[in-house]
Amino acid sequence: MPNPSFNSRKRISIHALPIFVSLFFSAIPHSALKIPPPLPILPLPSASQLQWQLSSMALFLHFGPNTFTDSEWGTGHASPSVFNPTLLNASQWVHVAKEAGFSRVILTAKHHDGFCLWPSEYTDYSVKASPWRDGKGDVVAELAAGAKEAGIALGLYLSPWDRHESCYGKTLEYNEFYIGQMTELLTRYGDIKEVWLDGAKGEGEKDMEYYFDAWFSLIHQLQPDAVIFSDAGPDTRWIGDEAGVAGSTCWSLFNRSNAVIGGTNPQYSQGGDPHGHDWVPAECDVSIRRGWFWHASQVPKSALELLDIYYKSAGRNCLLLLNVPPNSSGLISDEDIQALQEFKELRRSIFSNNLAEKGLLTASSIRGGNDNYQFSPYNVFEESIYTYWAPEEDQRDWVLYLDLQESVSFNVLQVQEPIHMGQRIIKFHLEILSGGRWKNVISGTTVGYKRLLRFPTVQSQYLKLVIDMSRADPLISYMGLHMDRFSILSHASNTTSQIYVNGSQVLRQVPNKHSQTATV
């Protein structure tokens, strides 16, 4: 028989529940309810594009018969016997990349000469026809294994232009051949995070129509997490030069319909399009040496040169793709490794210390009110795109005020946007309080994932970052102040007039007898 006392308690609790719930929720202050984030502004990056952008830098590996014939563009007629890297160690390549701060590597699986670094079943012009590993080697497989072990993302370049295959120039036949080779690469070697191809082709070569749309669909089908690079995307675009230099204004927004692989306007590629309907961020490719393949007569760029390129690529909302070619032994050369390590040390010295992070921050407004920590200005000191400062809606002033609590010297500004919410900022500037007056230090245009602006050294306790124009309410995920003691601009002091450095307006520094003139 049911227990009457139990049923009695149950009936009392059921009747009391509506009253209890009502009292509970009425006790919650309205301010405790979470404020929804602002509406993202289109276009937006895909998940794979976000991962690509967060990686910041990738290492390009140009390797093949050209390495042994002292060539850049092979003819496609060099004997496979020339390819014999007796000390090849792909794990060394990966280790060098990781130690230098690169999180992905991209290999020229097939360059223009048509020689395949894997044993393709569609051609006899590959490693299986070489003396290396007695014809049983596979460079792609060794690199894929090394990258997986080290936790480094792998990308592959398969050149559309092929100077060896007789079917090149026969549209249907060659497109089938290319898709066959692409399928081999994307089904044999695990996860491929980037597929790299371009429209490079020498003058006077055979006419050839590439079925890019079919290629792209196949790539996304076989490797859905891979981004595809080309002059026109679809996922990442060429910056328009081979110097690793982006435009000082650089949008991830782009109109793919305005771009043609092999024939895109370099200026359009460099700057992107503030009215673009597609999200196609830019990749800046440059070689550590004068050539793309290793040549004994060439030396690597200095760490300072690499640092300058970093500011103009990764510091302008792009990914830096730095080519470091293995030598004829199959190893990355010691002098290249030294330059990479010095480059890493320069970056560490400059960016490991955010001079702003101990400062006091206030904002012109905060979404949801000044007590809403969800969109607090202090979020800009967290190194994550998923936390950010957001102003109140429909405001005219967008300002972050910073009190460093003591006078500090600095010459680099770092700003980042939460790009998963869209790219927003059109124009901004930094001011310092000097002599009782606010003075403009530097102005910039686009921000995107990361913007680094250098300027002659200034000193102040009070600063303000002002967003002048934005496509929607601006959002800031990170703000940093740094001291670069290595770039030439850091050697001057005092401010009087305005000049332009790297496409950004800065204050000219008047040299005194102890300083050098800032050069631009």
Side-chain angles (χ1 to χ4, degrees):
M1 186 174 69
N3 186 327
S5 61
F6 174 81
N7 283 343
S8 176
R9 286 196 299 271
K10 186 175 182 180
R11 284 194 298 272
I12 292 171
S13 63
I14 289 173
H15 291 308
L17 186 59
I19 299 173
F20 173 76
V21 170
S22 176
L23 290 172
F24 177 79
F25 279 104
S26 64
I28 299 177
H30 178 72
S31 60
L33 297 175
K34 193 171 183 179
I35 304 296
L39 193 68
I41 181 169
L42 299 175
L44 299 176
S46 67
S48 57
Q49 286 174 319
L50 267 180
Q51 288 303 115
W52 172 90
Q53 187 80 73
L54 293 173
S55 64
S56 185
M57 298 192 302
L59 210 66
F60 217 172
L61 299 162
H62 275 65
F63 190 57
N66 292 349
T67 307
F68 303 86
T69 60
D70 203 28
S71 305
E72 282 292 304
W73 279 10
T75 63
H77 302 299
S79 171
S81 63
V82 304
F83 185 82
N84 192 19
T86 55
L87 299 178
L88 188 143
N89 183 352
S91 293
Q92 186 241 15
W93 308 349
V94 172
H95 178 76
V96 168
K98 189 170 184 176
E99 284 297 305
F102 293 76
S103 56
R104 64 177 52 200
V105 293
I106 301 175
L107 174 69
T108 56
K110 184 187 81 169
H111 203 250
H112 311 323
D113 60 2
F115 186 84
C116 299
L117 296 183
W118 79 101
S120 174
E121 297 175 16
Y122 294 96
T123 182
D124 58 1
Y125 201 52
S126 77
V127 287
K128 66 185 177 185
S130 78
W132 176 66
R133 303 272 199 265
D134 295 323
K136 297 179 176 62
D138 187 334
V139 180
V140 178
E142 293 190 24
L143 181 60
K148 183 178 181 179
E149 183 179 358
I152 294 289
L154 176 63
L156 298 173
Y157 169 48
L158 184 67
S159 171
W161 181 28
D162 191 318
R163 306 185 78 180
H164 176 82
E165 291 304 316
S166 59
C167 66
Y168 187 85
K170 302 172 184 177
T171 297
L172 179 60
E173 190 176 344
Y174 182 73
N175 274 276
E176 291 175 341
F177 171 83
Y178 188 89
I179 282 180
Q181 290 199 321
M182 182 67 77
T183 301
E184 288 181 328
L185 289 174
L186 301 185
T187 57
R188 293 182 180 180
Y189 302 105
D191 291 337
I192 305 300
K193 295 301 186 182
E194 184 162 351
V195 176
W196 217 89
L197 50 90
D198 57 22
K201 187 170 70 171
E203 293 184 10
E205 292 292 322
K206 300 174 184 177
D207 288 334
M208 184 71 228
E209 180 184 354
Y210 303 131
Y211 293 165
F212 285 118
D213 288 340
W215 299 0
F216 296 162
S217 295
L218 178 75
I219 294 166
H220 280 149
Q221 179 188 98
L222 297 178
Q223 292 284 347
D225 293 333
V227 295
I228 302 173
F229 167 95
S230 80
D231 305 33
D235 302 310
T236 79
R237 74 179 192 265
W238 184 42
I239 197 58
D241 62 54
E242 293 186 342
V245 177
S248 58
T249 295
C250 190
W251 291 96
S252 293
L253 282 60
F254 197 70
N255 274 330
R256 290 185 56 210
S257 59
N258 291 349
V260 177
I261 298 176
T264 301
N265 183 333
Q267 290 184 328
Y268 187 67
S269 297
Q270 285 196 337
D273 191 337
H275 306 293
H277 300 296
D278 306 304
W279 185 276
V280 189
E283 192 163 314
C284 297
D285 59 325
V286 62
S287 185
I288 197 170
R289 292 167 175 252
R290 191 172 69 253
W292 290 92
F293 287 88
W294 178 84
H295 304 282
S297 62
Q298 295 180 3
V299 296
K301 292 178 172 65
S302 70
L304 282 174
E305 290 176 287
L306 296 177
L307 178 64
D308 186 61
I309 291 170
Y310 179 80
Y311 277 112
K312 297 173 182 176
S313 55
R316 293 181 178 177
N317 186 39
C318 299
L319 181 140
L320 170 59
L321 178 59
L322 180 64
N323 178 63
V324 181
N327 60 32
S328 56
S329 295
L331 300 171
I332 292 178
S333 300
D334 290 342
E335 58 267 32
D336 293 6
I337 294 173
Q338 181 177 348
L340 289 172
Q341 285 300 312
E342 291 173 356
F343 173 40
K344 175 187 177 181
E345 180 57 28
L346 288 179
R347 299 195 318 274
R348 186 206 61 77
S349 176
I350 297 166
F351 300 110
S352 64
N353 182 22
N354 183 357
L355 299 171
E357 65 183 0
K358 294 182 180 179
L360 304 176
L361 264 175
T362 55
S364 51
S365 66
I366 300 174
R367 183 178 178 84
N370 290 338
D371 295 330
N372 184 12
Y373 293 102
Q374 183 183 353
F375 302 109
S376 164
Y378 283 95
N379 287 336
V380 305
F381 292 152
E382 297 183 23
E383 296 187 29
S384 169
I385 64 169
Y386 298 106
T387 54
Y388 49 87
W389 164 66
E392 195 63 271
E393 292 180 319
D394 301 322
Q395 299 294 306
R396 291 187 176 183
D397 295 325
W398 302 312
V399 186
L400 285 176
Y401 300 92
L402 180 61
D403 175 2
L404 297 175
Q405 303 191 78
E406 63 179 345
S407 188
V408 174
S409 296
F410 56 93
N411 56 19
V412 176
L413 170 68
Q414 180 176 178
V415 185
Q416 295 184 250
E417 289 183 88
I419 56 171
H420 66 291
M421 302 291 287
Q423 190 175 356
R424 298 163 176 252
I425 296 173
I426 299 172
K427 185 179 179 182
F428 67 99
H429 71 273
L430 179 71
E431 297 182 33
I432 61 171
L433 191 64
S434 177
R437 295 171 48 215
W438 286 106
K439 295 184 178 180
N440 185 38
V441 173
I442 189 155
S443 299
T445 51
T446 47
V447 173
Y449 173 61
K450 181 184 294 183
R451 188 66 194 269
L452 299 173
L453 293 176
R454 291 176 290 181
F455 42 88
T457 303
V458 295
Q459 184 174 337
S460 183
Q461 178 177 341
Y462 301 100
L463 304 86
K464 60 180 178 179
L465 178 67
V466 182
I467 311 302
D468 301 297
M469 295 178 65
S470 185
R471 297 173 63 232
D473 290 337
L475 309 174
I476 303 292
S477 60
Y478 190 77
M479 175 184 174
L481 298 175
H482 310 281
M483 173 57 77
D484 177 351
R485 303 183 187 279
F486 312 99
S487 298
I488 186 67
L489 290 177
S490 66
H491 296 299
S493 60
N494 302 326
T495 60
T496 55
S497 62
Q498 305 218 337
I499 57 174
Y500 285 82
V501 174
N502 301 329
S504 300
Q505 193 178 43
V506 302
L507 294 172
R508 179 183 294 278
Q509 300 223 347
V510 179
N512 58 37
K513 63 182 180 179
H514 300 296
S515 67
Q516 302 177 27
T517 303
T519 59
V520 299

